[in-house]
Amino acid sequence: MSCPFKPKWERRKEARPQELLAAALNLFVERGFAATRLDDVAKAAGVSKGTLYLYFSSKEDLFKAVVRENIVPLLGEAAGMITAFEGDTESLFRELTLSWWRNAGETKLSGLPKLMMGEAGNFPELARFYQDEVIARGEALLASVLARGMQRGEIRNIDLEIDTRLLIAPVIMMMMWKHSSCVCQIEPEKLNVYLEHYIQMAWNSLLIRQG
């Protein structure tokens, strides 16, 4: 009869990709893409650089894996929430915003928008990848929520392309605030207050005007 427990070294081997991705995320957020070296990622994960190359062929490949393993699943969860939600659209908008903030805004993932803003010009291929995998999907999800609100007569008719981007921008800015030193920095304990004010102001701006 085979042993149901795997040897420690085997369990460690299976965990290595996730350990490398966690180390890479930390370093990308702390140093930026250009300044992060694969040697340092390997060291932070407790493996050799050669071991890193067994899983990821380049720094670009590693960055894409960080995004696909950490952010893309959150977008999938959000899509599922939108599809299954049965309440009013205001409640859906609130829950979607708060859920994104819990899972991305309050984690290391909040540092990626600042990284992309700062380094997109030097790494256009990565910028296109991030636009396709994250930004475009996020915009499509929020646009579907707003379209739902219009179809149900809960909000006024709006320009989905423009207003979706306007609603996303403050949340991205809040994520960038977390990683800004002295410039536009908001005390971390106040970010949730800002988020509540944002949700109220954003939704009130969408309501049908009476009279």
Side-chain angles (χ1 to χ4, degrees):
M1 187 174 70
S2 61
C3 177
F5 301 105
K6 294 182 178 181
K8 185 176 181 180
W9 65 267
E10 190 173 344
R11 295 199 303 272
R12 164 81 171 142
K13 182 178 180 180
E14 292 177 352
R16 278 176 185 158
Q18 293 304 318
E19 292 171 353
L20 286 164
L21 292 175
L25 175 60
N26 286 335
L27 290 171
F28 284 144
V29 169
E30 291 171 6
R31 302 181 183 179
F33 181 80
T36 295
R37 302 187 312 150
L38 291 182
D39 300 53
D40 295 331
V41 174
K43 183 178 179 181
V47 301
S48 68
K49 188 175 179 180
T51 298
L52 185 151
Y53 277 114
L54 293 175
Y55 302 99
F56 307 104
S57 61
S58 64
K59 186 163 66 170
E60 289 77 7
D61 183 40
L62 179 60
F63 179 82
K64 290 178 180 180
V66 167
V67 171
R68 286 176 174 145
E69 289 295 319
N70 290 281
I71 299 183
V72 172
L74 297 182
L75 295 170
E77 291 175 11
M81 176 195 300
I82 293 168
T83 300
F85 201 85
E86 297 181 351
D88 60 83
T89 307
E90 179 181 2
S91 298
L92 174 57
F93 175 72
R94 169 177 288 276
E95 182 54 35
L96 189 68
T97 304
L98 293 176
S99 176
W100 178 260
W101 189 254
R102 284 193 303 270
N103 295 319
E106 292 182 345
T107 72
K108 276 283 186 178
L109 296 174
S110 61
L112 292 182
K114 183 180 179 182
L115 181 155
M116 294 308 306
M117 290 284 189
E119 305 197 50
N122 293 326
F123 302 98
E125 196 276 329
L126 281 186
R128 285 191 295 272
F129 162 79
Y130 194 82
Q131 171 64 31
D132 293 340
E133 294 286 332
V134 179
I135 302 301
R137 291 185 184 187
E139 288 178 351
L141 289 173
L142 181 55
S144 72
V145 172
L146 299 177
R148 179 187 192 268
M150 286 192 290
Q151 291 166 2
R152 293 162 62 106
E154 297 171 313
I155 63 173
R156 59 188 174 82
N157 290 329
I158 60 174
D159 185 310
L160 282 178
E161 179 181 354
I162 293 175
D163 291 337
T164 293
R165 290 175 177 172
L166 288 174
L167 288 170
I168 287 175
V171 178
I172 293 177
M173 190 64 198
M174 286 179 62
M175 294 169 77
M176 294 177 67
W177 276 343
K178 287 187 60 184
H179 301 273
S180 300
S181 178
C182 299
V183 180
C184 298
Q185 191 175 36
I186 302 298
E187 297 88 336
E189 64 272 14
K190 290 185 178 180
L191 284 172
N192 285 328
V193 177
Y194 274 74
L195 190 65
E196 281 294 333
H197 279 254
Y198 158 74
I199 291 171
Q200 293 175 22
M201 291 180 67
W203 191 256
N204 287 338
S205 74
L206 298 169
L207 296 178
I208 298 171
R209 296 184 179 90
Q210 303 295 330

